[in-house]
């Protein structure tokens, strides 16, 4: 896993403050040196979530990532197809 902790990066393709490629580049560089880095990209969001539903979806993904990294008892990460 490397010397670095796991990283969750969320980008919005309509972000006017931070270019989306910066988050993607960070994740790519991090993965090249080892360690887990997860990129979550949204085509509809900007610097902030586009709706309450988008905020809930992003927060749910973040909590799932944190629980999987903490190896929380009873928590089994599954793909959307399950």
């Amino acid at each position: 896993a490397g010397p670095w902790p796991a990283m969750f990066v969320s980008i919005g393709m309509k972000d006017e403050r931070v270019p989306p490629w910066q988050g993607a580049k960070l994740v790519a560089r991090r993965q090249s040196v080892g360690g887990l880095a997860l990129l979550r990209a949204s085509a509809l969001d900007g610097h902030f979530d586009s709706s309450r539903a988008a905020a809930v979806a992003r927060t749910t993904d973040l909590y799932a990532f944190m629980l999987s990294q903490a190896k929380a008892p009873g928590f089994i990460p599954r793909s959307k197809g399950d």
Side-chain angles (χ1 to χ4, degrees):
W4 306 101
M7 179 186 296
F8 177 91
V9 177
S10 179
I11 62 173
M13 300 308 283
K14 294 183 178 180
D15 193 336
E16 295 178 359
R17 295 183 184 187
V18 181
W21 62 264
Q22 287 185 345
K25 184 176 179 180
L26 173 67
V27 169
R29 181 165 296 181
R30 176 61 181 282
Q31 289 176 342
S32 72
V33 298
L36 176 64
L38 178 69
L39 178 67
R40 182 186 191 279
S42 172
L44 301 176
D45 295 338
H47 195 73
F48 301 101
D49 297 310
S50 59
S51 66
R52 182 175 295 249
V56 169
R58 182 185 46 79
T59 303
T60 301
D61 289 344
L62 177 59
Y63 273 84
F65 180 76
M66 291 188 303
L67 288 168
S68 70
Q69 293 306 300
K71 296 179 177 50
F75 180 76
I76 302 169
R78 297 189 306 198
S79 67
K80 289 184 179 183
D82 291 344

